[in-house]
Amino acid sequence: MDQKLNGMTSGEMIFAAIYSLSQKIMMLYSKAVLRETGLNWQDWRILRAVVSLQSCRAQDICEESGIKKSHVSNGLARLEEFGHISRVANKGDKRSRIVVSTEQGQDLVARAEPKLHEFEAQLSNQPDVGDPDALLNSLRSYKDELGRLLDGDDPGPDG
């Protein structure tokens, strides 16, 4: 595996390919989300979390969506500006606000979520795509093995 091609080892080529493909896949999926919702992928995840949780704090959205708090705060501001959510004073804690989805936000999720699920199902049913869960498990195993080889410096389940 120490062969060099264009100055890169085969291991480096694998890392570069995984990185490049993951970026391209995210850009294409983000395009599908934008087409169906008018929102960027991150704002869509935030809105889905708000609709799912019904009444929550920004921290709850972070935990539900896996998005950093600064990104959630910016996303909430955009979603509030678009009329998809509203933020009200938290009577129990003056330092935080409660986030709730508006009817408009709930309608958007109800309308777009089935279309995006169908899109994902169509993709998974393509014969050349294979089982997405098997691919994900394979990549997780690859990550775990890299962590083990680095003396247990495993970056964690998702990173």
Side-chain angles (χ1 to χ4, degrees):
M1 271 206 141
D2 286 336
Q3 302 174 254
K4 292 204 176 204
L5 182 66
N6 296 329
M8 292 176 68
T9 66
S10 57
E12 289 172 326
M13 289 173 33
I14 289 170
F15 301 137
I18 291 170
Y19 180 74
S20 176
L21 286 171
S22 66
Q23 285 187 316
K24 288 174 184 172
I25 289 167
M26 274 307 305
M27 291 303 296
L28 289 168
Y29 185 70
S30 293
K31 187 176 179 180
V33 168
L34 181 63
R35 181 186 69 197
E36 296 301 329
T37 68
L39 302 174
N40 68 47
W41 179 70
Q42 209 164 0
D43 289 355
W44 169 244
R45 287 180 58 204
I46 293 167
L47 179 60
R48 278 192 1 227
V50 173
V51 169
S52 171
L53 295 168
Q54 297 180 2
S55 177
C56 56
R57 300 167 301 135
Q59 183 61 39
D60 301 323
I61 298 165
C62 295
E63 292 167 8
E64 177 81 7
S65 66
I67 299 173
K68 292 179 182 178
K69 189 161 186 189
S70 62
H71 297 290
V72 167
S73 295
N74 291 334
L76 289 173
R78 285 187 297 272
L79 291 169
E80 189 170 37
E81 185 177 314
F82 296 150
H84 297 308
I85 62 123
S86 63
R87 295 185 276 186
V88 295
N90 182 351
K91 293 177 182 158
D93 181 359
K94 300 286 185 202
R95 296 172 295 159
S96 68
R97 295 191 287 173
I98 300 296
V99 181
V100 294
S101 60
T102 63
E103 189 174 323
Q104 176 182 314
Q106 292 168 17
D107 289 346
L108 178 59
V109 170
R111 187 175 64 251
E113 201 161 39
K115 291 179 182 178
L116 289 168
H117 285 305
E118 176 62 25
F119 175 76
E120 293 164 10
Q122 286 177 5
L123 179 62
S124 296
N125 290 332
Q126 296 299 312
D128 293 339
V129 172
D131 180 11
D133 291 329
L135 174 61
L136 189 56
N137 287 334
S138 178
L139 288 171
R140 284 184 178 137
S141 294
Y142 195 83
K143 178 208 50 103
D144 291 345
E145 184 62 13
L146 279 173
R148 187 191 68 73
L149 291 170
L150 293 169
D151 299 320
D153 291 341
D154 188 351
D158 294 322

